[in-house]
Amino acid sequence: MKGPAWRRRGLLAASLGNLLFLYLPIAVLIVYSFNAAKLAMTWQGFSLQWYAALARDHALMVACQNSVLIALVSTSVATLLGVSAAIGLERLPWRLRAWLDGALLLPLVIPEIMMGVALLLLFVLIKVPLGLLTVTIGHAAFNLPVVMVIVRARLRKLDPQLEEAARDLGATPWQAFRRVTLPLLRPAIVGAALLAFTVSLDDFVVTFFTAGPGSTTLPLKVYSMIKTGISPEINALSAMLVVASMCLVGLSLAVQRQRKIYSLIH
Amino acid sequence: MNQPGIELREVVKRHGSTVAVDHLSFSVRRGEFFSILGPSGSGKTTTLRLIAGFEHPDQGDILIDGRSVRDVPPNLRPVNMVFQHYALFPHLTVSGNVAFGLEMRGIARAEILSRVSAALDMVRLAGKDDRLPAQLSGGEQQRVALARALVNRPAVLLLDEPLGALDQQLRQEMQVELKTIQEQVGLTFICVTHHQEEALTMSDRVAVMDHGRVLQVGAPQDIYTAPASLFVAEFIGLSNRLDGRIAAVEGTRCRIEVPGLPIVQADVPAGAGPGRAVSVVLRPERLHVSKQAAPNGFDNVVPARVAKAVYNGHEMQYQLRIDERLLWTVRVPNADGGQKRFLPGDTVSVRWNADESVVLAQ
């Protein structure tokens, strides 16, 4: 924090500028969701009418349900598979592990649109009708590596002797896992699941390619509403989505940070 | 009491192409404090892990209380281990850690509580039972690890470098404490260490290991005063060494020719005859330093020049230059308060009797 005053002031200005750049559009969006005006971007007084209108919009409520359902199921699947894969991989011989690592983490760097197209082609090829199931599978697919990366990072920091200590004290391999490894992984698993849930809730591209009739999600719905003109209703909806996502990501970070207590003694 | 608590029979363990443990055999008596001493890579930790069951011997057998444990998984062996870095469960409290083994064995809640508190009393941690390991000092963590193992009343307690992570002061305190606890509970302790002072202080018997083999097993005094090989002599304690050749044997005495020095008289090593290349090992505290050049009744006298004199409070430590190659360390207790001191540059003579050296085959 030392240094000439002009430098400190410059840094402060740059940071504020960054924050404005990132959050101003969101702030505007949220503020205008409370605007009483029908169309104009002029402020005509505070109102909750657009939020009320959201609740009355049946199609929107269905999209909302779809989104939550898909996020819940795909997150569960991705978490279950991701955690098992992470633990399994740690126990593989080095060479095999390096190879599988690459294969399993590839989806993280593949452009999402390619993933969407690829999934669509696959589903058409094996004749699975597009719908809730295909969207859920698509989301689980891109969330699997996310969960795996987070859990493995934690797993690698665990002292391998902890499991040996448990075994030495009379625990079977399963007991050692349940009583020692799993509780120590829990913050990472919960954090990963929350992040996966958020990503699933917000996803547009993969959903766009894999959705069919009746499986419209919230992001898809917002997009289709925008095509017919920006209504303040969308502002309200987006504001809710943004706030929900931010809460989930914040929660995910908070849960993952808990591990600091655990790693103190190492 | 004389039935072995643990016996290793011709145990072999390979890691890839290297042999970590090479036809290892030794036995540990019940109630004994047994140390395995060796440099890093000597296979001592592997030996401990074989006994604990974390590794499986490629050949040979391990018996605990007369029963083979070859096919017994670690959780069913009557041994418990104190890990080098303790491996305390970070998410469990002190009492949660200590209770773990008892819970795994399905012992009744009331008994667990009383045994845990007795164990914590023994290691002087009463009142810290609901702390997390991260909230404890290194010494306290060490004692939790000890209590966590002892509370199960194992047939054998294994300790892997138990004091390695502690600072010097604490280390010396814990050496005494460990030994006291061991005598109190009467359990068999097997302790792995590379720290020779630790092994000598705590153990009833010490096994010196190198390259996966046991070089010597014996009481600390025997290992120190009668090392079986040059490696043992140089690994344990400080030693000064002279390399030479036996010139003549007269009864129990022999005369050894050392290049550049007067003939050295020493006790004959077992089975050695004239012509044999040997090393004479001299402990720093067995040498006598004087300004007089005459033997004065000593068997051997070697002139030297004081290179360095270090005052250690209870003793003086001198570095003596014998010739270009030889620099000896000699310790002289300050029984007179350090009055009779030699200064760097002084010419002195180093004297010792034949029975104060150990002669070992090279």
Side-chain angles (χ1 to χ4, degrees), chain A residues 36-234:
Chain A
K38 175 103 182 124
L39 279 173
M41 293 301 281
T42 49
W43 185 257
Q44 292 190 0
F46 182 83
S47 162
L48 287 172
Q49 67 181 97
W50 307 117
Y51 288 89
L54 278 184
R56 286 193 301 271
D57 190 330
H58 179 69
L60 203 61
M61 283 298 119
V62 170
C64 197
Q65 271 175 27
N66 283 344
S67 270
V68 171
L69 182 70
I70 290 166
L72 276 177
V73 176
S74 71
T75 297
S76 310
V77 172
T79 306
L80 209 64
L81 291 180
V83 171
S84 328
I87 291 167
L89 274 179
E90 271 315 293
R91 286 160 201 220
L92 282 181
W94 180 82
R95 198 179 283 277
L96 196 59
R97 187 171 67 198
W99 192 84
L100 274 173
D101 248 356
L104 282 165
L105 297 183
L106 207 56
L108 281 183
V109 290
I110 291 182
E112 219 191 329
I113 193 152
M114 284 181 59
M115 185 132 170
V117 172
L119 281 165
L120 176 62
L121 283 176
L122 177 73
F123 291 138
V124 169
L125 196 72
I126 59 174
K127 298 197 174 65
V128 181
L130 297 182
L132 282 178
L133 178 70
T134 50
V135 178
T136 308
I137 293 175
H139 284 201
F142 66 66
N143 269 331
L144 177 68
V146 173
V147 172
M148 223 177 67
V149 166
I150 295 177
V151 173
R152 282 193 67 187
R154 175 72 188 128
L155 203 54
R156 211 165 288 171
K157 275 196 196 158
L158 281 190
D159 181 355
Q161 285 201 327
L162 288 177
E163 251 181 55
E164 282 185 353
R167 298 276 284 131
D168 184 65
L169 291 166
T172 60
W174 169 246
Q175 282 174 319
F177 175 74
R178 239 196 51 64
R179 296 285 306 266
V180 175
T181 312
L182 196 57
L184 292 171
L185 286 182
R186 193 167 291 143
I189 295 173
V190 175
L194 284 170
L195 192 64
F197 190 83
T198 315
V199 173
S200 166
L201 213 54
D202 288 348
D203 181 74
F204 180 83
V205 179
V206 168
T207 318
F208 183 78
F209 282 97
T210 51
S215 61
T216 303
T217 65
L218 221 39
L220 292 190
K221 183 68 185 161
V222 171
Y223 180 68
S224 70
M225 284 163 79
I226 282 179
K227 281 196 287 194
T228 59
I230 298 180
S231 97
E233 221 178 294
I234 295 177

Side-chain angles (χ1 to χ4, degrees), chain B residues 8-26:
Chain B
L8 272 74
R9 286 187 188 157
E10 294 288 315
V11 173
V12 177
K13 177 69 192 174
R14 296 182 196 87
H15 289 147
S17 60
T18 57
V19 183
V21 167
D22 190 4
H23 292 92
L24 192 67
S25 298
F26 64 80

Side-chain angles (χ1 to χ4, degrees), chain B residues 130-256:
Chain B
D130 48 6
R131 304 272 184 97
L132 285 174
Q135 298 168 303
L136 301 176
S137 71
E140 287 169 336
Q141 291 182 15
Q142 213 275 339
R143 296 211 292 267
V144 176
L146 191 62
R148 183 177 72 173
L150 280 175
V151 77
N152 304 295
R153 298 178 192 146
V156 181
L157 186 79
L158 306 173
L159 303 111
D160 187 6
E161 302 275 1
L163 311 178
L166 303 179
D167 60 49
Q168 184 63 25
Q169 178 91 34
L170 210 52
R171 179 186 273 263
Q172 277 170 353
E173 276 174 42
M174 282 304 293
Q175 280 176 17
V176 180
E177 198 168 323
L178 259 185
K179 181 70 189 154
T180 314
I181 288 174
Q182 190 260 341
E183 281 164 1
Q184 211 177 317
V185 294
L187 290 179
T188 313
F189 277 34
I190 300 183
C191 175
V192 151
T193 177
H194 68 276
H195 204 272
Q196 39 109 355
E197 185 202 309
E198 215 165 275
L200 297 180
T201 316
M202 298 190 294
S203 320
D204 297 315
R205 282 194 308 151
V206 179
V208 183
M209 264 186 92
D210 191 38
H211 291 112
R213 291 171 167 276
V214 163
L215 301 178
Q216 190 174 3
V217 183
Q221 306 88 291
D222 298 339
I223 299 252
Y224 185 78
T225 55
S229 66
L230 210 50
F231 178 86
V232 175
E234 298 201 320
F235 189 71
I236 300 200
L238 270 176
S239 58
N240 301 303
R241 179 176 155 188
L242 284 173
D243 292 339
R245 191 171 295 278
I246 297 181
V249 176
E250 298 151 8
T252 61
R253 285 286 176 85
C254 68
R255 297 161 71 80
I256 298 167

Side-chain angles (χ1 to χ4, degrees), chain B residues 287-305:
Chain B
L287 295 168
H288 308 263
V289 187
S290 165
K291 283 200 171 168
Q292 294 174 301
N296 244 2
F298 285 99
D299 295 326
N300 299 293
V301 184
V302 169
R305 185 174 291 275

Side-chain angles (χ1 to χ4, degrees), chain B residues 69-98:
Chain B
V69 292
R70 249 195 94 91
D71 302 311
V72 182
N75 48 316
L76 299 178
R77 293 193 184 194
V79 299
N80 284 113
M81 180 130 148
V82 176
F83 289 82
Q84 183 172 10
H85 300 292
Y86 318 138
L88 298 178
F89 305 127
H91 58 302
L92 298 180
T93 59
V94 167
S95 43
N97 267 280
V98 178

